[in-house]
């Protein structure tokens, strides 16, 4: 099958909405499909793209960036020459210039397409007015014409239903992971040594520095936790690129007199080494439809604490492989941090349960088969 993946940007630093189509393209190519990734040159990572074996990656010049609405009109010329080559199109993210244009061409030339919003469908957090305008002008037409719309969890299915998407259009396919890629982990202590972390215990957050991620709640819970723990014995390490919220969090750290205990690391290329050296990974976000980070941590042998209202929380609960807390519950998270450090035997059992669940349900070999079935049903 000839498959076109459409992703507005293509760099691992931009998160799961890039790494998921990257891995999906990789595994589809392994299954013998002809795969092309159509993207833009905004923050384009050529080494990342070239690491995809037997996958063609086409970066279209981005002439303007309007709040990540990446204006790349030359995409029309490329589609004129290539659209009829493909059996099915997979649109990643939702509100993008690229999806607008590709959708028009797909409908004009009768090429079926799939939409996978990666959590971007709801009108939440910011730019609500612009999102509503987009939906009226383009978005509703994109959703209406899609063969299938992919949800990655029950939490995202609820978002789709609230948006009025009919059940028959919704397909649930969990995000995939590759357990084999975590088989040869970096040596213990490498991350600590590289970044000068000398405390006995490390509490770790990994992800974008955004107000929806609950990092402020984590910092407040950490402050409460330290009231019953030796302060120079533990560090809170925050890893991930700033999404406009880091300065707010740094002010909070100063207000709570935590500057000696909280480290902002920015983007770290080797997350496995960070997971490896952490005592526990905390994922305190709200309105998340999946979240790969806790499962990557489990594959590295690190216990996890996640909020119960996100997609990964429902999976963690089902698998019995982590601690659950309510979003925004500072006292509850503080107590859970303490419990996680005091019960290593419980942690080991949870990690093993998580690894089993990932291999049985989230391995890419399984996920790619579900995607192939969806493509087949859409193309015929």
């Amino acid at each position: 099958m000839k498959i076109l993946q459409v992703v507005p940007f293509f760099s691992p630093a931009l998160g799961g909405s890039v790494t998921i189509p990257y891995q999906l393209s990789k595994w589809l190519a392994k299954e013998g499909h002809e795969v092309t990734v159509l993207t833009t040159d905004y923050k384009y990572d050529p080494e990342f793209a070239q690491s995809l074996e037997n996958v063609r990656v086409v970066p279209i010049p981005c002439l303007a960036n309007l709040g990540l609405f990446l204006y790349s009109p030359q995409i029309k010329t490329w589609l004129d020459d290539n659209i009829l080559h493909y059996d099915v199109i997979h649109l990643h993210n939702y509100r993008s210039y690229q999806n607008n244009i590709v959708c028009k061409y797909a409908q004009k030339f009768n090429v079926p397409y799939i939409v996978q919003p990666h959590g971007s469908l709801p009108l939440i957090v910011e730019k609500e007015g612009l999102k509503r305008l987009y939906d009226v002008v383009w978005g509703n037409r994109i959703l209406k014409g899609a063969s299938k719309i992919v949800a990655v969890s029950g939490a995202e299915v609820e978002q789709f239903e609230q948006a009025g998407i009919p059940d028959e259009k919704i397909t649930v396919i969990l995000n995939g992971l590759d357990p084999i890629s975590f088989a040869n982990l970096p040596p213990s202590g490498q991350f600590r040594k590289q970044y000068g972390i000398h405390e006995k215990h490390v509490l770790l957050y990994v992800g974008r520095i955004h107000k929806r991620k609950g990092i402020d709640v984590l910092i407040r819970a950490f402050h409460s936790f330290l009231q019953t723990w030796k302060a120079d014995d533990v560090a809170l390490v925050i890893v991930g690129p700033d999404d406009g919220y880091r300065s707010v969090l740094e002010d909070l750290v100063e207000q709570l007199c935590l500057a000696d205990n909280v480290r902002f690391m920015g983007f770290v290329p080797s997350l496995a080494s960070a997971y490896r050296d952490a005592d526990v990974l905390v994922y305190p976000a709200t309105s998340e439809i999946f979240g790969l980070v806790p499962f990557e941590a489990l594959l590295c042998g690190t216990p996890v604490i996640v909020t119960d209202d996100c997609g990964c929380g429902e999976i963690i609960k089902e698998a019995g492989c982590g601690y659950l807390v309510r979003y925004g519950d500072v006292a509850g998270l503080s107590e859970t941090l303490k419990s996680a450090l005091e019960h290593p035997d419980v942690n080991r059992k949870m990690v093993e349960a998580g690894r089993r669940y990932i291999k049985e349900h989230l391995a890419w070999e399984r996920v790619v088969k579900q995607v192939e079935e969806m493509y087949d049903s859409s193309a015929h």
Side-chain angles (χ1 to χ4, degrees), residues 19-258:
T19 55
I20 291 298
Y22 172 94
Q23 290 291 340
L24 177 57
S25 298
K26 170 184 169 181
W27 285 89
L28 286 167
K30 282 186 177 183
E31 294 296 316
H33 300 286
E34 184 180 318
V35 183
T36 301
V37 175
L38 182 62
T39 186
T40 70
D41 64 359
Y42 172 77
K43 293 193 175 181
Y44 181 66
D45 186 331
E47 290 186 10
F48 180 65
Q50 290 165 12
S51 67
L52 270 178
E53 295 183 9
N54 301 316
V55 174
R56 181 188 180 197
V57 181
V58 180
I60 304 294
C62 173
L63 301 187
N65 172 16
L66 308 172
L68 283 184
F69 189 81
L70 306 176
Y71 181 59
S72 53
Q74 292 180 34
I75 195 173
K76 298 175 184 177
T77 302
W78 190 90
L79 290 167
D80 281 330
D81 295 337
N82 293 279
I83 186 95
L84 287 174
H85 179 71
Y86 296 97
D87 300 307
V88 67
I89 300 169
H90 194 148
L91 305 177
H92 294 273
N93 295 328
Y94 172 45
R95 298 178 182 92
S96 74
Y97 174 83
Q98 291 67 39
N99 285 357
N100 303 348
I101 304 304
V102 174
C103 174
K104 288 180 182 178
Y105 273 79
Q107 292 176 346
K108 179 180 178 180
F109 292 100
N110 200 31
V111 181
Y113 66 90
I114 315 293
V115 177
Q116 185 165 351
H118 296 284
S120 64
L121 186 64
L123 301 166
I124 57 174
V125 181
E126 55 195 16
K127 302 179 185 175
E128 184 175 331
L130 290 174
K131 290 176 180 178
R132 288 188 186 278
L133 178 62
Y134 179 99
D135 291 351
V136 170
V137 178
W138 296 296
N140 293 334
R141 176 176 52 84
I142 291 173
L143 296 176
K144 185 177 180 180
S147 298
K148 292 290 182 182
I149 303 174
V150 179
V152 297
S153 65
E156 194 170 26
V157 169
E158 291 182 11
Q159 293 179 358
F160 291 176
E161 290 173 345
Q162 290 170 5
I165 296 170
D167 290 343
E168 60 269 19
K169 272 202 172 184
I170 301 172
T171 296
V172 179
I173 301 178
L174 303 180
N175 284 336
L177 289 101
D178 181 12
I180 295 175
S181 67
F182 292 89
N184 298 312
L185 295 173
S188 179
Q190 179 175 297
F191 179 78
R192 287 170 172 268
K193 181 178 180 181
Q194 182 176 355
Y195 292 96
I197 301 170
H198 304 295
E199 288 84 355
K200 181 180 178 181
H201 299 291
V202 171
L203 309 178
L204 178 67
Y205 166 86
V206 171
R208 291 182 298 118
I209 311 301
H210 189 281
K211 60 184 175 182
R212 198 177 77 185
K213 296 292 188 176
I215 310 169
D216 58 329
V217 177
L218 173 57
I219 291 171
R220 292 183 187 280
F222 180 59
H223 176 259
S224 176
F225 159 82
L226 286 181
Q227 308 311 306
T228 59
W229 202 276
K230 188 179 177 183
D232 60 0
D233 203 30
V234 60
L236 172 59
V237 175
I238 298 172
V239 170
D242 183 21
D243 204 358
Y245 197 54
R246 176 166 168 170
S247 62
V248 175
L249 296 177
E250 289 175 331
D251 287 344
L252 178 60
V253 167
E254 288 294 330
Q255 292 169 21
L256 298 175
C257 301
L258 293 175

